[in-house]
Amino acid sequence: MKKVSLKTGVLLLVVIMLISLMACSNNNNSTNSGSVTNSPENNKTEENATNTETPAEEVTLKMYVHYTSEDEKAQLDYAMAEMKKIMPNVTLDIDVMPQDSGAKLKTYFATGNLPDIFEVAPSDIAIGVNSKSMVPLDDYINKFNLTDELTPAALSQLEQQDGHTWAMPASNSNFALIYVNKTLFEQAGAKIPENFQELIEAGKLLKKQDVVPLGIWLKETWPVLQLFDMAAIPGNPKGITALDMSGEGTAADPEFQNAAAKILELAKEGLISKDAFTMDYNSAVAQFESGKSAMLMVGNWMTQPLGEKLGEGNVTVLLPHVFADAEDVEAVKVAGGISGGGFVGGYAVAANSKHKEIAAEYAVQLALKNAEGRIVKTGEFNTLLKKQVTSEKPENALQKEVSTLLTSVQSTTTMGWAFENSKIQTDLGNEVQKLYTGDYSIESFTKNVDTMLEKYRNE
Amino acid sequence: MNSYLNKKTAIFIFVFPFLALYTSIMAYPILQVFIKSFYNWDGITEPIFTGFDNYKALWSDPDFLPSLKNGLIFAGVILIYQQGVATILAFLFTMKGLHLRGSKFFKTSFFIPVVLSVTVVGQLWVQIYNYEHGLLNRILGLFGENFKHAFLSDPNSAIYAVAFTNGWQFMGMMFVFIYTAIKSIPEQYFEAAIIDGASPFTLHRKITLPLLQETYKFTIVMSITGGLKAFDNMFVMTGGGPGGSTMTLTYMMFKSAFQKGEFGYGSASAVILVIECLLFLVLINKFVARDRIIY
Amino acid sequence: MIESKKMIMKSIIYLFTALFSLTSLYPLIWMTFNSLKNNDEIFSTNVFGFPTHFRVENYINAITQFNIFMFFKNSALVAIITVFFTILLAVMFSYATARMKWKLSGIARTYGILGMFIPVQIIIIPLVIIVRDLNIQNSLLSLILPYTAFSLSFASMVFYAFLRSIPFELEESAAIDGANVYTTFFWIIVPLVKPAMATTSIFIFLNSWNELFIALVLISDNALKTLPLGLVYFQGQFATDWGASSAALTIASVPPIILYLIFSKQVENALTVGSAVKG
């Protein structure tokens, strides 16, 4: 009996809630429709405008983007503030992008209700273009003469699919480096390695000190591919890009055979922690920052934080030439190859957007402002913008070192999450990860990878 | 007398709401997935009919057989652990003549892991299994360096370690069901048996266990289905690795559909999973008794 | 002799259960510890131990920046409504398959259980399209419907088991007294399955409360986000602030635990009453 009256009570409560729920969502809809009914007028004024016309109406654009960590927020906030000066009537409603392997973005594509502006990785462009969900940005880029603001490297990133630009680069190129804790090396009596043999030697000495020689996390695909890329660069400055969709390499090529062998050796000699397979980004960084690993392979965005955390003079970086054999090192250094670069992400505009014109105008400019924000707020290395941008944060010694290194770079590859073809990226990552167990035959690796490349390149 | 039990309208009213919601939200999408498994589809553009190609590709996919195997291992591990430990604990707490103080506290504590998200529990166990500083290896290390083991990084042990985490977390759920079921057995049955001189163990063997069959039927189904469709644990703990040794059919589906944009192919692995589950359903029905016990 | 043997056994059992209990509680303790640490401590320097500094700012962060009470409200609303409708639909359905006589009852029952085998990830795309077609993507209904549908199989299975253990004579005597099927169901059968309903409610609530994947994909309006979805907020492109998200998670664990305490008490009461009555 008690349960019955409890049930009726709950029933009543539920009915009341449902009604208020419905009323609530209707309210939401009506505030949104406020801006929607404005758009026909907006479009009219835009079509008559020849320069950045600021229509009188307030427009709210929805944007799906990374916006969680301190850095991400600082950068985008900076960009939005800058944009307020240029297009004051536009407000951004941010839809936070989670770490979900792009699942949500794919469902947005599938249902055709993408947010007005959204952040994409290179492999998403094909999806967007093929499903006609994206607006080509060429005209808008030209409208504001944005090409004048870009470095040559950045300009080459503008030609995407079908000769158009679909996503405006919003960040500087990232590079992968191996950060070295000099103090730990000293304590182990190890020399900062100049070539692969020295790397292995240092590793053995570090292990004796109960320190993980090379910190890396293998739960995600990109670090798996990134280190492999570094190992391949001595043989081919194009690195893993040679295995991508438009690349011409195969796993059987000598540079990749060597790279595979080197990864296997790293694993067999114990330079890679036994826990690497279950570590994620946070664990690996924490491990290095707390002095439990002597080296860490990570992106150059960590330069400022690591330099600061471990102290001036205690950190240095290694470039891919550390994977070369002693006799080849000089030649590799001269070739100046680095792991990373390329097109790491950008802002695209949805074809289903109710404010296509405004969104596109906003997006292309926001993108560059975001890249600028990355430099100003987090001291990122400028590869996108021609102009000089100074960072708010004082440059530490490590940053100076890295900047100098990066300016002498001759060729770049790409970041492990930025393949043109996501199928190749996933399957290659799968295969390369097996090498890290130290117990995988190169024959199987070669066979599997080449079968896979054959299949996807001919699809 | 029982005539109203087969009144058509009544049956319809009782059954329709369930079936309507269930069919539109569960069955209809499954049907779509089944159909799409015969296509090459990226989820967004036009699907292209390819017949059984996806299934053929599945057969030669290096991840496929390990995934099948892992689903079975997972199901097996959690079945044994969950049903076993839950039964023992439930018996302990319902044994006549054994009154444990603080039993309320104990019972609640068993349930706590169930309340937590799989992410939290998964992360904790990743730390526990950690080779360098994990709790488990620190204890094993006391016996000697050779006793340490990289549970999650060894392709042979990884799936067992991951499965155990899930088994451990949800044992509390089975405990609640079995305990509740035992408690709802009328006292008279037990009293009659005690008068006849039965010991606590015989009590459980001859009376409790048979009466629990219906309960076990669904707890077993829960364990097995949880195992076959496992995904969350490996997603959080190992990312399917090392080297694909903790892949499952669901993970294959997720990877294909969301990381590679191959929905048709992903649907094929999903269909295999459903078929596998149907087989188990049939098996379970056959092997666990169906008749009601009347005393 | 027998007494001391009993004592020893009892102490051993006590030890065993106490140990087990402690290990079961540890994840909650660990999570609470984490909520007072930062990433370095959590992942490297002080993984299992007591926090060195009590970083209460994690909690302040969670409550102020994170809008935790709005997420709470949404999660609670969705969970309660889901529980209500699942139980309602499932008890009716299970009653029909367990005790009513019709030819397709076996098939219907098996059909209903199939849902247990389906992981959410498989049907997410068709589901999203259905939600869009029904035009409910701007309301919590877009979560309630799938959550209910997904819990139906589980609930129907549990109720079927309980309903089968009730003697059929009950309906016979009710019929003799002139009751029709609806009255019998509502006034006689339902009270008898109260323990099952209470137990199942806890689990349906939990599934809804902790559910992430569907919410992630279906909800983009900030005002509609549920707790697990809000927690995603702490995940950056690379790093995740685990101190802060642990604080939020700890706060989020409180309602289910309280609910369990309330419901399990109800279940105990119902059972002790029930088993006396049944004979």
Side-chain angles (χ1 to χ4, degrees):
Chain A
M1 288 302 114
K2 199 167 84 164
K3 199 68 200 275
V4 172
S5 52
L6 183 64
K7 263 263 150 81
T8 349
V10 173
L11 179 62
L12 243 54
L13 187 63
V14 158
V15 170
I16 296 171
M17 282 194 207
L18 275 173
I19 297 176
S20 53
L21 228 179
M22 299 310 166
C24 254
S25 58
N26 281 338
N27 278 338
N28 273 339
N29 283 340
S30 48
T31 33
N32 280 339
S33 59
S35 44
V36 170
T37 46
N38 284 333
S39 68
E41 294 170 274
N42 274 342
N43 284 337
K44 219 170 41 146
T45 29
E46 282 161 66
E47 274 153 49
N48 295 334
T50 43
N51 53 6
T52 329
E53 177 85 31
T54 46
E57 323 293 342
E58 288 291 316
V59 175
T60 305
L61 297 174
K62 196 147 192 218
M63 180 168 187
Y64 183 58
V65 66
H66 283 109
Y67 189 72
T68 309
S69 69
E70 294 290 326
D71 289 345
E72 287 159 4
K73 285 195 258 188
Q75 292 150 200
L76 197 55
D77 287 344
Y78 173 90
M80 289 198 285
E82 290 291 307
M83 284 307 292
K84 266 293 180 200
K85 301 179 195 164
I86 307 175
M87 293 175 77
N89 60 310
V90 177
T91 324
L92 221 49
D93 173 22
I94 296 186
D95 180 6
V96 178
M97 184 186 276
Q99 281 176 9
D100 64 349
S101 308
K104 188 154 186 181
L105 183 62
K106 297 234 168 60
T107 42
Y108 274 140
F109 276 123
T111 55
N113 64 342
L114 289 155
D116 302 294
I117 309 178
F118 52 99
E119 191 179 337
V120 290
S123 51
D124 298 323
I125 295 182
I127 301 178
V129 174
N130 294 339
S131 58
K132 304 189 178 24
S133 336
M134 305 200 307
V135 171
L137 301 173
D138 314 54
D139 294 335
Y140 301 96
I141 297 176
N142 292 331
K143 186 169 183 181
F144 302 108
N145 295 322
L146 295 178
T147 43
D148 291 344
E149 299 187 35
L150 299 174
T151 60
L155 278 175
S156 65
Q157 294 173 10
L158 287 184
E159 178 155 332
Q160 295 156 13
Q161 195 162 323
D162 303 339
H164 290 291
T165 306
W166 302 92
M168 192 64 187
S171 52
N172 301 289
S173 298
N174 291 133
F175 303 102
L177 299 164
I178 299 182
Y179 292 82
V180 175
N181 185 328
K182 294 208 286 205
T183 325
L184 288 176
F185 267 71
E186 271 164 37
Q187 285 171 1
K191 170 176 178 273
I192 309 277
E194 285 281 307
N195 59 52
F196 193 65
Q197 285 75 31
E198 289 180 9
L199 180 64
I200 300 282
E201 283 309 311
K204 291 187 189 158
L205 287 169
L206 288 162
K207 277 209 76 167
K208 290 213 181 84
Q209 303 284 89
D210 240 354
V211 160
V212 172
L214 179 58
I216 188 173
W217 67 106
L218 301 174
K219 215 184 339 184
E220 285 185 72
T221 306
W222 79 261
V224 168
L225 289 173
Q226 208 71 49
L227 195 66
F228 182 71
D229 183 46
M230 289 182 100
I233 286 175
N236 179 353
K238 288 218 186 104
I240 39 173
T241 57
L243 293 176
D244 201 349
M245 192 68 185
S246 46
E248 279 150 20
T250 62
D253 296 340
E255 61 265 31
F256 297 114
Q257 294 285 300
N258 283 333
K262 296 218 161 99
I263 300 281
L264 280 170
E265 195 174 336
L266 279 180
K268 284 199 193 122
E269 297 289 348
L271 270 83
I272 299 191
S273 160
K274 284 211 169 76
D275 296 310
F277 287 100
T278 55
M279 286 181 80
D280 64 351
Y281 180 85
N282 302 294
S283 323
V285 170
Q287 191 187 48
F288 185 70
E289 283 182 350
S290 56
K292 296 221 174 134
S293 58
M295 294 183 275
L296 174 69
M297 192 228 61
V298 78
N300 70 312
W301 59 82
M302 285 302 286
T303 309
Q304 203 277 340
L306 286 179
E308 195 176 304
K309 192 97 195 254
L310 272 79
E312 302 273 345
N314 287 338
V315 198
T316 183
V317 291
L318 297 174
L319 290 176
H321 68 247
V322 77
F323 277 93
D325 296 319
E327 54 268 19
D328 304 321
V329 171
E330 280 314 308
V332 172
K333 277 190 183 169
V334 164
I338 195 168
S339 178
F343 181 33
V344 293
Y347 297 161
V349 175
N352 59 275
S353 163
K354 294 192 171 68
H355 314 275
K356 270 200 283 228
E357 304 270 337
I358 295 200
E361 290 187 4
Y362 192 84
V364 294
Q365 298 177 86
L366 180 74
L368 293 190
K369 293 296 172 201
N370 187 60
E372 193 178 310
R374 292 176 81 117
I375 305 167
V376 171
K377 294 285 173 183
T378 49
E380 196 172 77
F381 187 73
N382 185 356
T383 62
L384 200 76
L385 303 165
K386 257 195 207 156
K387 66 183 181 190
Q388 269 277 47
V389 180
T390 21
S391 167
E392 273 175 7
K393 297 199 176 166
E395 225 189 8
N396 61 38
L398 186 63
Q399 279 179 292
K400 291 201 180 74
E401 186 184 330
V402 171
S403 306
T404 324
L405 276 174
L406 290 178
T407 37
S408 60
V409 157
Q410 306 271 25
S411 79
T412 61
T413 62
T414 188
M415 294 305 284
W417 65 74
F419 271 59
E420 297 163 335
N421 185 317
S422 56
K423 299 182 194 183
I424 295 182
Q425 181 179 307
T426 309
D427 284 354
L428 185 62
N430 227 17
E431 283 297 309
V432 173
Q433 202 208 40
K434 295 180 193 172
L435 293 170
Y436 288 87
T437 58
D439 185 18
Y440 188 49
S441 89
I442 299 193
E443 289 79 41
S444 306
F445 172 76
T446 315
K447 185 171 120 226
N448 287 342
V449 172
D450 285 340
T451 322
M452 179 263 294
L453 284 177
E454 167 102 30
K455 176 171 150 204
Y456 291 136
R457 279 175 175 164
N458 293 326
E459 255 180 3
Chain B
M1 258 190 315
N2 288 340
S3 59
Y4 73 55
L5 278 180
N6 48 18
K7 242 207 182 131
K8 295 276 164 61
T9 12
I11 294 173
F12 182 77
I13 294 180
F14 275 75
V15 159
F16 181 72
F18 180 100
L19 288 179
L21 184 62
Y22 182 77
T23 308
S24 50
I25 306 245
M26 296 258 344
Y28 179 59
I30 304 265
L31 188 63
Q32 289 191 310
V33 166
F34 179 71
I35 294 175
K36 285 298 186 303
S37 70
F38 296 105
Y39 287 76
N40 183 343
W41 188 44
D42 62 356
I44 299 152
T45 51
E46 280 303 303
I48 308 166
F49 185 74
T50 53
F52 280 94
D53 280 359
N54 285 333
Y55 291 96
K56 284 193 219 148
L58 203 57
W59 184 249
S60 49
D61 189 327
D63 278 338
F64 181 62
L65 286 174
S67 294
L68 268 182
K69 190 185 77 162
N70 285 340
L72 293 170
I73 293 177
F74 202 102
V77 169
I78 66 178
L79 181 71
I80 296 173
Y81 182 82
Q82 286 175 349
Q83 306 302 329
V85 176
T87 306
I88 295 174
L89 287 173
F91 280 7
L92 271 179
F93 282 90
T94 54
M95 256 203 308
K96 305 297 158 203
L98 182 69
H99 295 290
L100 294 169
R101 249 182 308 172
S103 61
K104 178 89 194 244
F105 171 77
F106 288 134
K107 285 184 284 183
T108 313
S109 72
F110 300 145
F111 191 70
I112 295 285
V114 181
V115 163
L116 301 173
S117 73
V118 176
T119 313
V120 170
V121 176
Q123 291 216 318
L124 172 62
W125 278 90
V126 164
Q127 297 295 347
I128 294 179
Y129 283 130
N130 190 293
Y131 186 78
E132 300 291 331
H133 61 234
L135 269 182
L136 216 54
N137 279 317
R138 272 201 231 167
I139 297 175
L140 289 173
L142 294 174
F143 295 100
E145 192 68 26
N146 290 330
F147 284 91
K148 286 169 82 165
H149 187 67
F151 294 97
L152 290 174
S153 301
D154 177 358
N156 295 319
S157 63
I159 181 68
Y160 292 95
V162 174
F164 180 75
T165 305
N166 185 296
W168 178 87
Q169 181 178 5
F170 291 105
M171 186 280 298
M173 189 158 112
M174 305 303 163
F175 171 77
V176 167
F177 281 119
I178 299 177
Y179 175 83
T180 313
I182 296 179
K183 279 292 222 183
S184 63
I185 297 175
E187 287 296 310
Q188 287 85 319
Y189 297 173
F190 290 117
E191 280 159 20
I194 293 177
I195 291 175
D196 286 348
S199 74
F201 298 104
T202 335
L203 218 61
H204 279 314
R205 203 160 56 83
K206 287 237 153 90
I207 298 184
T208 327
L209 275 178
L211 282 172
L212 284 182
Q213 276 186 9
E214 281 291 342
T215 309
Y216 275 122
K217 212 143 147 214
F218 75 75
T219 56
I220 290 176
V221 169
M222 283 205 284
S223 288
I224 293 188
T225 57
L228 291 176
K229 70 182 190 192
F231 170 75
D232 294 333
N233 283 98
M234 25 282 286
F235 185 70
V236 168
M237 297 172 78
T238 60
S245 58
T246 54
M247 285 296 282
T248 60
L249 285 174
T250 311
Y251 211 140
M252 280 188 76
M253 200 269 164
F254 180 80
K255 236 180 174 173
S256 300
F258 292 104
Q259 287 179 359
K260 294 165 66 176
E262 291 178 334
F263 272 97
Y265 188 68
S267 299
S269 27
V271 169
I272 300 289
L273 177 64
V274 174
I275 295 178
E276 195 186 13
C277 294
L278 276 171
L279 280 169
F280 268 95
L281 192 58
V282 168
L283 281 172
I284 294 174
N285 263 339
K286 277 214 146 68
F287 282 103
V288 184
R290 318 176 59 189
D291 306 322
R292 273 164 48 241
I293 314 264
I294 307 171
Y295 277 111
Chain C
M1 282 298 104
I2 307 171
E3 269 311 304
S4 61
K5 191 172 172 193
K6 230 178 158 185
M7 281 291 288
I8 297 175
M9 278 220 62
K10 204 168 171 180
S11 336
I12 296 178
I13 293 177
Y14 238 119
L15 201 62
F16 168 69
T17 31
L19 218 67
F20 208 84
S21 212
L22 233 59
T23 47
S24 299
L25 284 174
Y26 185 65
L28 187 61
I29 300 174
W30 182 72
M31 190 175 70
T32 319
F33 282 177
N34 280 352
S35 64
L36 298 165
K37 298 179 181 171
N38 65 6
N39 269 10
D40 272 352
E41 271 193 270
I42 295 175
F43 286 103
S44 189
T45 54
N46 184 12
V47 180
F48 299 105
F50 211 74
T52 51
H53 302 92
F54 278 75
R55 296 171 202 267
V56 191
E57 60 265 22
N58 285 334
Y59 279 94
I60 301 177
N61 225 352
I63 298 179
T64 55
Q65 282 206 17
F66 174 58
N67 218 341
I68 198 167
F69 292 116
M70 177 178 77
F71 299 142
F72 241 86
K73 182 196 83 174
N74 291 333
S75 278
L77 208 58
V78 171
I80 293 175
I81 301 181
T82 302
V83 169
F84 179 75
F85 280 111
T86 308
I87 304 256
L88 184 64
L89 266 51
V91 171
M92 294 205 302
F93 179 79
S94 299
Y95 182 69
T97 53
R99 304 176 73 84
M100 287 182 157
K101 293 184 170 58
W102 44 301
K103 255 203 291 202
L104 297 173
S105 66
I107 298 181
R109 183 183 142 244
T110 315
Y111 177 64
I113 293 184
L114 282 183
M116 293 248 8
F117 297 106
I118 313 297
V120 138
Q121 292 81 1
I122 287 184
I123 62 163
I124 195 69
I125 295 278
L127 189 62
V128 174
I129 298 180
I130 292 177
V131 163
R132 188 196 54 180
D133 289 343
L134 288 174
N135 205 16
I136 51 174
Q137 64 264 34
N138 282 327
S139 84
L140 290 176
L141 211 55
S142 63
L143 291 183
I144 295 173
L145 286 183
Y147 286 178
T148 311
F150 266 92
S151 304
L152 285 176
S153 298
F154 167 70
S156 75
M157 223 179 35
V158 175
F159 291 136
Y160 180 86
F162 271 72
L163 284 168
R164 292 282 281 184
S165 65
I166 300 176
F168 274 106
E169 296 74 47
L170 271 177
E171 272 111 339
E172 291 174 13
S173 38
I176 291 174
D177 288 347
N180 67 15
V181 61
Y182 305 105
T183 348
T184 323
F185 174 72
F186 201 62
W187 295 109
I188 301 182
I189 305 289
V190 167
L192 282 177
V193 284
K194 267 195 282 179
M197 290 203 290
T199 331
T200 320
S201 304
I202 301 172
F203 294 115
I204 300 174
F205 182 87
L206 266 179
N207 279 341
S208 171
W209 189 259
N210 281 335
E211 204 285 325
L212 175 59
F213 195 72
I214 298 181
L216 186 66
V217 172
L218 289 180
I219 299 282
S220 30
D221 188 348
N222 273 316
L224 293 174
K225 286 193 177 168
T226 56
L227 268 174
L229 199 49
L231 283 164
V232 152
Y233 174 82
F234 293 108
Q235 293 174 349
Q237 183 177 9
F238 301 110
T240 300
D241 184 352
W242 279 107
S245 83
S246 296
L249 275 168
T250 309
I251 301 177
S253 311
V254 171
I257 295 178
I258 294 180
L259 219 77
Y260 169 77
L261 290 171
I262 299 176
F263 271 66
S264 60
K265 197 168 171 77
Q266 285 226 346
V267 170
E268 291 263 7
N269 294 343
L271 284 175
T272 35
V273 170
S275 59
V277 158
K278 258 206 235 160

